[in-house]
Amino acid sequence: MVSNCPTKSPAGASNDNLELEEVISKGSLDFDEWVSLVSDIEKIYPYAAHMARSCTMEKVVEVFEQAVSAATYSVGMWVDYCSFGMSAFEDASDIRRLFKRAISFVGKDYLCHTLWDKYIHFEFSQQQWISLAHIYIQTLKFPTKKLHQYYDSFRKLLTFLEEGMTSLDNSPKESQSEPFDGEIPMTTCCNDDKTYSITKDLVDSPVGLTSSIALKKYRIIGEQLYHNACELYSKISSFEANIQRYYFDVRPLDSNQLQNWHDYLDFIELQGDFDWAVKLYERCLIVCANYPDYWTRYADFMEAKGGREIANYSLDRATKVYLKSTNDVDAARVVLIDGIKTLPHNKLLLEIPLLHVHYLQGLMDLKV
């Protein structure tokens, strides 16, 4: 492929920019030519990397904040942000807060193992055993690609703790403690505060009955969470296996991939986990952003579940960003009208942002 990119040195940046604008303004580049153009620009302007390195930390943080605001549910974006935080932030608590924030957004993504691995590496480097033990429990809460590997790590940690624990027969009895022989309610397993408390008892308690009880509770919680996650894993693995693209691309998806996303969303909607549904829809829309039916489906589902603000926001993105070109006017109009129809008539002006009303009017004017 012959490159359309100007080939002057960075010293002639002004002329290069004019040539670049001329190439882009022709509007004749296909996808592969765009890829080639970007690659050539990166070669011509090697000082861009130097500029990135010379930025202040505050500026880099600002850029990352803009990035995660635009792509909140991108695992890769959060991994990059956390990697930067590990190398740039002096206070470990700031890094830990960033990881927790990232997990809150993408912790239910099937491919979030890259973030968990980074988080585990960080806590291990800090020798924060309570946090590390708690992370191993958290990795078992949801079916991810490395669920079984995380369970193996959990088992190894249990073995390590058991080997390091003195036999109860040789430990002083604690008069206020009763032997634990029962099950942990699943409400406890899903409660971060309670599981963290049990983990803290496990690590902090002196060798004896208390630490033994904490270890049993820790084991039971992990086993129950893993069992539940495995059941979900077996149900979603076929959907995940059929996903061939994980990123936005202007090239169309084939019918099998489109149907797989619909089937996956059908399944998730029946699980009763609103947070999981939101995250899967957002993940789907990264790949299927150019397909109006996924936007309308998302808005309809959110509206039906009481998430009107999320529904309006999805319509806003659909009509302002992804479906705004002239060729997509009809599609955008359908998205907007269908979204408005789902709202009670007497609350229309209160619930739909004024931007949507103006946009609808503009679309109608274009069709006259």
Side-chain angles (χ1 to χ4, degrees):
M1 180 185 302
V2 178
S3 172
N4 292 298
C5 186
T7 57
K8 296 181 180 180
S9 66
S14 178
N15 292 332
D16 286 347
N17 288 339
L18 291 176
E19 289 187 38
L20 183 60
E21 289 178 6
E22 182 180 353
V23 170
I24 295 175
S25 65
K26 292 179 181 179
S28 60
L29 299 179
D30 62 19
F31 179 81
D32 291 329
E33 288 174 326
W34 272 111
V35 173
S36 177
L37 180 62
V38 171
S39 177
D40 287 342
I41 290 174
E42 290 176 339
K43 294 176 183 177
I44 293 172
Y45 296 98
Y47 61 85
H50 168 72
M51 290 298 293
R53 288 193 297 269
S54 65
C55 284
T56 64
M57 186 178 72
E58 290 75 13
K59 182 61 178 178
V60 178
V61 169
E62 179 184 340
V63 171
F64 269 119
E65 286 295 331
Q66 292 174 353
V68 296
S69 176
T72 307
Y73 298 94
S74 168
V75 176
M77 192 67 71
W78 283 109
V79 169
D80 289 343
Y81 194 0
C82 291
S83 297
F84 166 76
M86 289 173 63
S87 63
F89 298 162
E90 295 182 0
D91 191 338
S93 62
D94 290 336
I95 303 173
R96 192 169 291 112
R97 276 193 295 270
L98 183 60
F99 271 113
K100 290 180 178 180
R101 181 179 163 206
I103 291 297
S104 71
F105 287 112
V106 298
K108 292 183 177 181
D109 192 303
Y110 181 77
L111 299 176
C112 71
H113 57 277
T114 52
L115 181 62
W116 281 121
D117 288 348
K118 186 72 66 174
Y119 194 5
I120 290 170
H121 173 73
F122 165 70
E123 294 294 8
F124 188 84
S125 69
Q126 298 294 308
Q127 298 187 0
Q128 291 296 315
W129 311 126
I130 296 176
S131 296
L132 192 59
H134 188 57
I135 288 174
Y136 278 128
I137 284 290
Q138 289 180 299
T139 61
L140 302 178
K141 282 188 173 183
F142 226 73
T144 62
K145 187 174 183 179
K146 291 182 64 175
L147 173 65
H148 304 308
Q149 290 95 316
Y150 290 139
Y151 178 68
D152 289 340
S153 297
F154 167 76
R155 296 288 301 177
K156 290 177 182 178
L157 177 61
L158 281 174
T159 300
F160 172 77
L161 293 172
E162 288 170 346
E163 291 176 350
M165 186 176 292
T166 306
S167 172
L168 289 178
D169 292 337
N170 299 324
S171 300
K173 303 297 181 181
E174 300 179 32
S175 58
Q176 300 300 318
S177 300
E178 294 292 334
F180 176 78
D181 185 16
E183 296 184 355
I184 305 294
M186 281 310 298
T187 52
T188 298
C189 296
C190 298
N191 187 306
D192 277 342
D193 290 337
K194 290 184 178 179
T195 54
Y196 185 81
S197 177
I198 292 173
T199 303
K200 191 173 186 300
D201 287 342
L202 173 65
V203 177
D204 285 354
S205 298
V207 174
L209 190 56
T210 299
S211 57
S212 177
I213 292 173
L215 181 60
K216 288 182 179 179
K217 290 181 178 180
Y218 183 75
R219 176 194 294 276
I220 291 173
I221 290 174
E223 295 287 354
Q224 289 180 343
L225 289 174
Y226 176 66
H227 174 75
N228 292 340
C230 279
E231 290 186 350
L232 283 178
Y233 185 94
S234 64
K235 294 176 181 178
I236 70 171
S237 57
S238 60
F239 300 127
E240 291 290 345
N242 288 326
I243 296 175
Q244 300 177 23
R245 186 185 298 171
Y246 300 96
Y247 50 87
F248 175 77
D249 196 317
V250 296
R251 290 173 291 192
L253 293 162
D254 62 47
S255 58
N256 290 333
Q257 292 181 69
L258 293 173
Q259 185 58 48
N260 182 65
W261 277 113
H262 276 303
D263 293 342
Y264 201 172
L265 292 170
D266 287 341
F267 170 79
I268 295 300
E269 289 181 3
L270 296 176
Q271 302 309 302
D273 188 331
F274 181 78
D275 182 59
W276 189 14
V278 169
K279 288 174 170 56
L280 185 67
Y281 265 108
E282 291 288 348
R283 180 183 167 199
C284 167
L285 288 172
I286 292 175
V287 181
C288 305
N290 282 338
Y291 295 87
D293 50 327
Y294 293 95
W295 290 100
T296 56
R297 174 174 180 157
Y298 187 24
D300 289 343
F301 177 73
M302 291 299 108
E303 173 67 18
K305 297 299 181 180
R308 184 163 296 170
E309 183 177 347
I310 299 177
N312 286 345
Y313 177 57
S314 68
L315 290 175
D316 196 27
R317 284 184 292 160
T319 54
K320 288 178 61 181
V321 181
Y322 296 102
L323 304 175
K324 67 177 183 178
S325 66
T326 303
N327 293 334
D328 289 326
V329 166
D330 287 328
R333 187 168 184 267
V334 170
V335 170
L336 196 54
I337 292 175
D338 284 352
I340 291 175
K341 284 180 179 178
T342 65
L343 297 174
H345 179 70
N346 62 346
K347 293 186 177 181
L348 176 62
L349 295 180
L350 294 177
E351 301 294 345
I352 290 291
L354 191 59
L355 170 66
H356 288 158
V357 178
H358 289 168
Y359 194 86
L360 177 60
Q361 184 61 52
L363 292 176
M364 291 179 174
D365 291 343
L366 287 173
K367 301 303 290 183
V368 174

